[in-house]
Amino acid sequence: NGKSENGKSENGKSENGCEMTKKTSSRPKSNKQGGRRINMDQIYCVGIILLEVYQSWIHEKVLPGLPFLPLMLTSVYAALGIGWVWIEATWEYLEALAAAMKRRGGEGGDSKGASSSRIIG
């Protein structure tokens, strides 16, 4: 019947007719010099480690009069991380939406209101 053992047909579609695609990130894996690319996630993780080192060993010696400063720094740092993840997710969503519209051939582009309602529905 033209189906492989994983339920996909020979044309790459599943039994229910949906196209099966592998999600790939639009981010490059390495920089131009061929070395490893440092991304914001890695920088964020290093920063949270440095913040913990500051809170555990340095703060009481340097600023003992500000007992809530470490908590405030952690809260602000977490808020920045959440904001960055939200921006990244929104960017990836918009890239995927643009790619999907490009695959569809940009149908319904005669008026802005009609095309935006098609995107949502």
Side-chain angles (χ1 to χ4, degrees), residues 41-51 77:
D41 301 342
Q42 292 168 329
I43 293 171
Y44 185 82
C45 289
V46 169
I48 199 75
I49 291 169
L50 292 175
L51 183 60
Y77 200 77

Side-chain angles (χ1 to χ4, degrees), residues 29-107:
K29 299 276 188 238
S30 63
N31 62 16
K32 291 179 183 176
Q33 290 80 23
R36 196 159 175 233
R37 181 180 178 269
I38 297 175
N39 61 23
M40 290 301 291
D41 301 342
Q42 292 168 329
I43 293 171
Y44 185 82
C45 289
V46 169
I48 199 75
I49 291 169
L50 292 175
L51 183 60
E52 185 60 34
V53 167
Y54 169 77
Q55 291 177 3
S56 299
W57 295 323
I58 299 171
H59 178 72
E60 288 183 12
K61 296 173 182 141
V62 177
L63 296 169
L66 299 171
F68 292 106
L69 182 63
L71 179 60
M72 183 188 73
L73 290 174
T74 302
S75 297
V76 169
Y77 200 77
L80 290 173
I82 290 169
W84 178 253
V85 168
W86 186 85
I87 289 169
E88 246 184 359
T90 302
W91 185 259
E92 287 186 20
Y93 170 75
L94 292 174
E95 283 181 336
L97 185 62
M101 289 180 68
K102 190 175 183 181
R103 279 193 307 268
R104 292 169 78 187
E107 63 186 48

Side-chain angles (χ1 to χ4, degrees), residues 108-117:
D110 27 67
S111 76
K112 290 183 181 179
S115 64
S116 65
S117 65

